[in-house]
Amino acid sequence: MKIAFAGVEALPNLVFWNRVFPLLPDEPPVLLSSNLVLGRTPGKILRRLSTIFRRSGPGYLAYVLSLSLQQRQGLSAEIPSLAQLLRQHRVEVIPSGNFSQARTIQALEAKGVTHVVSHYCDQIFQPNFLQASFETLNLHPSPLPEYRGVDPLFQQMLDGNPELGVTLHQVNLAIDEGPILDQTTFPHQVTTHREALIQAAEAAAELFARWLQEPARPSPQPQVSQPRTPYHSWPTKDQLHQFRQKGLRLT
């Protein structure tokens, strides 16, 4: 088994990768890196940032950017930097602003990747990626089928849920609707979104470790129930106002 991890170089993934890299077999992992600006054309960057700005406002946009620019803020000094982590585990890095382009898929296949594991990732996998020789999995921070979409932790906190969740599922063409491999919940005991991100990343690492170390992995189960919560895009300005009124904060 050779695993590639797909995601943004940001705080949640620093926590997640720090937990899971030591658990992998001797074969060094591959990092399919997707920073907000890495490999993107200026037009795509501006469209993404302007979308968040219009929908959520400058405060939320600055917060999203800070997760990449200030990765280590609020973390234990024992967690190494991303550069140290990559060196320590001999991680091969494939920077790509478009995971589904042919050269990225070919690079993964050439390295013998058998599984791509997505966590805190800002890209939608296209049909040609999902039809490649490897299996694509995703760790979504909600108890699917509930809270599909963008920033499900924010929506769970806004709704006052006593527990937050993480789901490991296969990726298919429908966003966050792939068959479920495993999921877990944990008590919601924090008041900031940043703390919730860290908690969810730790829970995702435990869930992935359970799947990785399971000798007889369970069969994926289709998401047959209808979700009570709708698919969400980026938080709106009104939702952010409600979030603050509940005594919750981003950081």
Side-chain angles (χ1 to χ4, degrees), residues 140-169:
H140 182 78
S142 84
L144 289 174
E146 303 302 326
Y147 297 100
R148 293 169 176 157
V150 179
D151 204 346
L153 289 174
F154 176 91
Q155 301 296 340
Q156 291 170 81
M157 294 175 72
L158 181 63
D159 286 349
N161 289 8
E163 291 186 321
L164 304 177
V166 177
T167 302
L168 176 65
H169 67 97

Side-chain angles (χ1 to χ4, degrees), residues 54-251:
R54 289 195 307 271
R55 183 175 176 87
S56 307
Y60 185 82
L61 175 59
Y63 168 66
V64 170
L65 291 173
S66 76
L67 296 175
S68 288
L69 300 175
Q70 302 177 30
Q71 293 178 10
R72 292 190 46 75
Q73 185 176 351
L75 296 181
S76 165
E78 298 176 358
I79 295 182
S81 68
L82 180 59
Q84 292 170 328
L85 192 63
L86 298 182
R87 285 196 302 270
Q88 181 180 349
H89 296 283
R90 300 177 293 124
V91 179
E92 303 174 74
V93 180
I94 301 177
S96 176
N98 179 5
F99 293 165
S100 298
Q101 62 187 356
R103 64 183 179 185
T104 301
I105 296 171
Q106 291 165 2
L108 291 170
E109 292 181 327
K111 293 180 184 299
V113 168
T114 60
H115 295 78
V116 172
V117 178
S118 168
H119 176 263
Y120 202 72
C121 184
D122 67 339
Q123 296 191 35
I124 296 173
F125 299 103
Q126 300 303 315
N128 61 327
F129 191 96
L130 300 178
Q131 292 164 5
S133 61
F134 43 77
E135 182 178 8
T136 304
L137 310 177
N138 181 51
L139 284 149
H140 182 78
S142 84
L144 289 174
E146 303 302 326
Y147 297 100
R148 293 169 176 157
V150 179
D151 204 346
L153 289 174
F154 176 91
Q155 301 296 340
Q156 291 170 81
M157 294 175 72
L158 181 63
D159 286 349
N161 289 8
E163 291 186 321
L164 304 177
V166 177
T167 302
L168 176 65
H169 67 97
Q170 293 178 330
V171 177
N172 59 17
L173 293 178
I175 299 173
D176 299 333
E177 295 186 24
I180 292 174
L181 295 167
D182 201 357
Q183 60 185 186
T184 187
T185 58
F186 53 94
H188 171 210
Q189 299 174 330
V190 297
T191 58
T192 75
H193 187 274
R194 187 183 294 271
E195 291 173 309
L197 279 176
I198 294 171
Q199 277 194 337
E202 291 171 342
E206 292 178 9
L207 193 62
F208 174 73
R210 188 162 72 193
W211 173 84
L212 184 69
Q213 297 165 354
E214 179 63 50
R217 296 183 182 121
S219 300
Q221 300 299 313
Q223 297 186 41
V224 293
S225 62
Q226 290 299 315
R228 299 181 301 274
T229 55
Y231 178 96
H232 288 283
S233 183
W234 299 100
T236 65
K237 296 173 184 176
D238 285 345
Q239 288 175 328
L240 284 161
H241 178 66
Q242 295 168 24
F243 195 78
R244 290 190 292 269
Q245 284 189 318
K246 290 175 178 272
L248 302 170
R249 297 174 292 123
L250 294 177
T251 60

Side-chain angles (χ1 to χ4, degrees), residues 41-55:
T41 63
K44 287 184 178 180
I45 297 169
L46 290 175
R47 282 195 295 274
R48 169 63 63 85
L49 298 182
S50 64
T51 297
I52 302 175
F53 181 85
R54 289 195 307 271
R55 183 175 176 87

